[in-house]
Amino acid sequence: MVQPKNADSKIFSQLRIANGDIKLNHRIILAPLTRNRNVPCIPKDPLEPVRTWCPDEVVVEYYRQRTTEGGLLVSEGINPNQQGGGMPGTPGLWLPEHIAGWKKVVDAVHAKGGYIYCQLWHQGRTTIEHMTGMCTVSPSGVAWNDPEELYPYPVKGCRGEGESLKLADYTSIEMTVDMIKDTISDFCEAARRAVEECGFDGVEVHGANGYLPEQFLSDNTNLRTDHYGGTPQKACNFSLELMEGLAGTVGQQKVAIRLSPFGMYNQIRGTKRMETFTHLCRQLKSRLPNMSYASFIEPRYEQVFSANEKDAFLRSWGLASVDLSIFRKILGSTPFLTAGGWNDTNVRGLVESSQYDAVVMGRWFTSNPDLPQRLLEGRPLRQYERERFYGPFQDRERGYTDYDPWCQNES
Ligand code: PHB
């Protein structure tokens, strides 16, 4: 359907992020999207299996296509270290090949006048040792609570080659305090490489969707009783120390965080959501007052359950009509981004509502590399192909870089 033109919409007005250092020309932001299209980094020891991947020209082209003058892209999740990764086709940022690949991506985005943040993503308990070659770590050694759920990729280079393994058979180990400090230090070193060596405009911590920081925030995955768990306040300490560490490394105006206070992905079933996330936001506001932005996933957005099932969960928590406004209020002038379920119709009026400063879009940006232009002109959006989202694929370009910009004859 052709929508009305949106030129007068505030979504096409300027927005300053990074404590005013970056002036965006519009407020439609490419979401961090795992697409598993990176190429193997060949290990020095030929007997070692491939455990990490890096961007090549196809990946560069994907980001280039989605760049607009003064627009912001967030990279796919990039692992700060080997222990936090291992998913086929997803990249890291510790090898020279990673750095060289990401520098090419950043240069291509900058050449078109765009901005790009590096999303730092540690999988914690959601990876398995067969993929990383290391033990799997998380706040506590809690077994995967679905005994039948399989790690979604066949393992390589070890016994059971080609098989899918049950996550519950490979429970992560509880991080010692030294491991926590080392992990934060790996994040900081990755952030330094991102900004200083690759030229990224900032870094975004993946604090959502059941990955390591959210595993600390959630009382079903964090059973600790030390400084890092036991109360909603202590459960925030990992994320807060991480954010402070990053701010000390690259400057707080270059540091952002993505959160999903009502998420359930990766078996997150926290029971103290409001207490935990309001404390986290209050502390972030006081410790990093010049943080670049905060990016939130909408309460009703859901990757696994149906809308009705999600509503039932929200009702059972006494949060039937919850929205993100409490976090908006706490964070005040920090740019506030929303993601989850936005499209060409409901995006209109989003900034005018004063609830949000910008929208983060993923699925529609995948099949419409010229999404901001299409929204500006009220052009129809091309349907996305969900089965081409997550690779790896032999034909990497399909469903990735082969979507043309809008043309008159588009069906
Ligand atoms: C996510 O951040 O939600 C996410 C990351 C990696 C995936 C799927 C989802 O493969």
Side-chain angles (χ1 to χ4, degrees), residues 32-36 77 87 90 119 121 123 153 206 208-209 211 258 265-266 297 303 390:
L33 300 168
T34 292
R35 291 291 179 257
N36 310 76
M87 185 188 286
T90 65
Q119 194 200 53
W121 173 47
Q123 285 187 241
Y153 298 95
H206 193 342
N209 296 344
Y211 297 110
R258 179 169 225 227
Y265 194 60
N266 280 317
I297 299 176
Q303 304 194 53
Y390 301 107

Side-chain angles (χ1 to χ4, degrees), residues 31-154:
L33 300 168
T34 292
R35 291 291 179 257
N36 310 76
R37 297 306 206 278
N38 292 262
V39 294
C41 294
I42 305 300
K44 289 205 180 66
D45 177 350
L47 295 176
E48 273 289 304
V50 170
R51 299 197 189 280
T52 185
W53 292 260
C54 54
D56 71 344
E57 270 314 314
V58 174
V59 179
V60 172
E61 179 60 15
Y62 163 82
Y63 287 99
R64 183 188 290 121
Q65 288 176 354
R66 285 155 187 80
T67 303
T68 49
E69 171 111 39
L72 177 64
L73 313 182
V74 183
S75 79
E76 65 206 272
I78 302 179
N79 308 135
N81 61 17
Q82 181 67 78
Q83 197 162 35
M87 185 188 286
T90 65
L93 198 43
W94 63 90
L95 295 173
E97 300 96 293
H98 292 140
I99 295 169
W102 283 112
K103 186 171 183 331
K104 283 187 192 148
V105 171
V106 173
D107 287 348
V109 171
H110 287 167
K112 281 182 78 177
Y115 298 98
I116 182 163
Y117 272 46
C118 167
Q119 194 200 53
L120 293 173
W121 173 47
H122 191 301
Q123 285 187 241
R125 70 197 282 268
T126 70
T127 186
I128 55 173
E129 61 207 46
H130 309 74
M131 307 306 287
T132 60
M134 312 172 87
C135 57
T136 303
V137 294
S138 64
S140 303
V142 178
W144 203 256
N145 55 356
D146 176 349
E148 295 307 317
E149 189 171 338
L150 299 176
Y151 181 76
Y153 298 95

Side-chain angles (χ1 to χ4, degrees), residues 31 85 234 285 377:
K234 288 183 177 177
K285 188 68 185 168
E377 292 173 1

Side-chain angles (χ1 to χ4, degrees), residues 55-358:
D56 71 344
E57 270 314 314
V58 174
V59 179
V60 172
E61 179 60 15
Y62 163 82
Y63 287 99
R64 183 188 290 121
Q65 288 176 354
R66 285 155 187 80
T67 303
T68 49
E69 171 111 39
L72 177 64
L73 313 182
V74 183
S75 79
E76 65 206 272
I78 302 179
N79 308 135
N81 61 17
Q82 181 67 78
Q83 197 162 35
M87 185 188 286
T90 65
L93 198 43
W94 63 90
L95 295 173
E97 300 96 293
H98 292 140
I99 295 169
W102 283 112
K103 186 171 183 331
K104 283 187 192 148
V105 171
V106 173
D107 287 348
V109 171
H110 287 167
K112 281 182 78 177
Y115 298 98
I116 182 163
Y117 272 46
C118 167
Q119 194 200 53
L120 293 173
W121 173 47
H122 191 301
Q123 285 187 241
R125 70 197 282 268
T126 70
T127 186
I128 55 173
E129 61 207 46
H130 309 74
M131 307 306 287
T132 60
M134 312 172 87
C135 57
T136 303
V137 294
S138 64
S140 303
V142 178
W144 203 256
N145 55 356
D146 176 349
E148 295 307 317
E149 189 171 338
L150 299 176
Y151 181 76
Y153 298 95
V155 295
K156 280 195 179 154
C158 55
R159 194 171 344 174
E161 166 101 27
E163 288 175 21
S164 293
L165 303 179
K166 288 181 182 169
L167 280 158
D169 289 339
Y170 299 96
T171 299
S172 55
I173 62 161
E174 174 177 317
M175 294 170 94
T176 62
V177 171
D178 280 348
M179 286 176 179
I180 291 176
K181 304 276 181 209
D182 286 349
T183 301
I184 291 177
S185 149
D186 286 349
F187 266 91
C188 292
E189 189 45 30
R192 190 199 60 72
R193 290 186 199 110
V195 171
E196 285 178 18
E197 297 185 41
C198 305
F200 277 103
D201 298 291
V203 295
E204 175 186 287
V205 167
H206 193 342
N209 296 344
Y211 297 110
L212 185 66
E214 197 175 59
Q215 291 164 24
F216 275 92
L217 293 170
S218 186
D219 59 8
N220 73 309
T221 46
N222 182 352
L223 309 182
R224 304 176 76 98
T225 52
D226 64 356
H227 178 65
Y228 295 100
T231 64
Q233 291 72 24
K234 288 183 177 177
C236 294
N237 283 338
F238 176 81
S239 298
L240 291 169
E241 285 178 21
L242 173 58
M243 291 294 282
E244 285 185 317
L246 294 171
T249 308
V250 295
Q252 58 174 279
Q253 74 286 357
K254 288 193 196 295
V255 177
I257 192 164
R258 179 169 225 227
L259 297 171
S260 51
F262 309 101
M264 304 186 64
Y265 194 60
N266 280 317
Q267 308 228 319
I268 289 298
R269 301 289 184 272
T271 60
K272 302 196 179 69
R273 303 203 176 226
M274 297 312 281
E275 299 93 313
T276 307
F277 284 90
T278 53
H279 176 78
L280 179 63
C281 290
R282 282 199 190 93
Q283 287 296 314
L284 282 172
K285 188 68 185 168
S286 106
R287 299 187 199 192
L288 277 75
N290 301 327
M291 177 170 75
S292 188
Y293 63 79
S295 184
F296 280 80
I297 299 176
E298 285 291 322
R300 273 158 210 83
Y301 179 71
E302 199 16 76
Q303 304 194 53
V304 177
F305 296 100
S306 69
N308 285 344
E309 286 168 327
K310 183 65 189 268
D311 271 342
F313 275 111
L314 290 171
R315 271 199 308 278
S316 73
W317 303 332
L319 298 172
S321 56
V322 76
D323 61 27
L324 297 175
S325 53
I326 183 158
F327 307 112
R328 167 72 154 171
K329 201 159 166 232
I330 293 169
L331 288 163
S333 57
T334 302
F336 194 87
L337 282 41
T338 171
W342 299 105
N343 58 38
D344 51 343
T345 307
N346 63 14
V347 81
R348 268 180 283 133
L350 176 141
V351 179
E352 282 77 356
S353 75
S354 303
Q355 291 181 68
Y356 313 102
D357 294 308

